[in-house]
Amino acid sequence: MNVVEKINIQIDSDQALVLFEFLAELGDGNRSVSNLLPAEELALSGLEAALEEVLVHPFEDNYANLLADARARLEMNSRD
């Protein structure tokens, strides 16, 4: 059995929240990406699970507002 090295990445909380929501929608079949390889699907699923372990916002009552705010900040910051 091969040992797979773990890595750490840093992204800001807005990126993490938006990415988590995208991956969750992808996993639920509400979003799609064409021509994903099985290994890519597994990797995205693993990333979603890792984000779910560290994020608290998806479990808050005002999650929809938090997500909308995070999306807006990311879009605003991309224009700068």
Side-chain angles (χ1 to χ4, degrees), residues 3 8 12 25-27 29 31 33 35-37 39-40 44 46 48 52-53 56 58 67 71-72 75-76 79-80:
V3 176
N8 292 312
D12 68 42
E25 290 179 3
L26 190 64
R31 299 282 288 270
V33 177
N35 303 320
L36 282 179
L37 298 172
E40 293 166 339
L44 290 174
E48 178 190 358
E52 188 173 29
E53 287 182 16
V56 295
L67 178 60
R71 286 175 170 157
E75 291 175 9
M76 187 183 325
R79 295 183 194 128
D80 293 338

Side-chain angles (χ1 to χ4, degrees):
M1 182 170 135
N2 292 334
V3 176
V4 178
E5 180 183 347
K6 300 281 186 178
I7 65 163
N8 292 312
I9 60 171
Q10 291 187 351
I11 58 176
D12 68 42
S13 59
D14 286 345
Q15 293 169 329
L17 191 58
V18 170
L19 184 56
F20 171 77
E21 181 63 22
F22 169 73
L23 293 170
E25 290 179 3
L26 190 64
D28 292 342
N30 297 327
R31 299 282 288 270
S32 65
V33 177
S34 299
N35 303 320
L36 282 179
L37 298 172
E40 293 166 339
E41 289 180 22
L42 291 168
L44 290 174
S45 178
L47 180 56
E48 178 190 358
L51 288 168
E52 188 173 29
E53 287 182 16
V54 297
L55 291 175
V56 295
H57 294 310
F59 307 105
E60 295 183 14
D61 291 336
N62 61 340
Y63 174 64
N65 291 336
L66 295 169
L67 178 60
D69 291 346
R71 286 175 170 157
R73 282 190 297 271
L74 283 174
E75 291 175 9
M76 187 183 325
N77 290 338
S78 73
R79 295 183 194 128
D80 293 338

